[in-house]
Amino acid sequence: MNGKDKIVGFDISVANEIAKRLGVKLVVQEMSFDALLGAVKTGKVDMVVAGMRAQSFLAKML
């Protein structure tokens, strides 16, 4: 956050660009880090942008 209730930084810039290229509206949902993969797996969210790095155990969870 930039102190003005606006999310700033690399992750949000990437998410905005993905949404723009897909022609969809980006909706940001705040949730605990532990809930992120479960939300993708159950379809609650379409993507997670949270500075995660690719690891083999994460792929098995999805």
Side-chain angles (χ1 to χ4, degrees), residues 19-53:
K20 178 180 164 187
R21 290 182 185 205
L22 292 174
V24 298
K25 179 183 176 190
L26 178 67
V27 176
V28 177
Q29 295 182 359
E30 187 174 336
M31 60 181 69
S32 71
F33 189 80
D34 293 341
L36 297 177
L37 293 179
V40 172
K41 191 173 183 178
T42 61
K44 182 177 180 181
V45 298
D46 296 317
M47 71 175 181
V48 170
V49 181
M52 297 178 73
R53 59 187 167 134

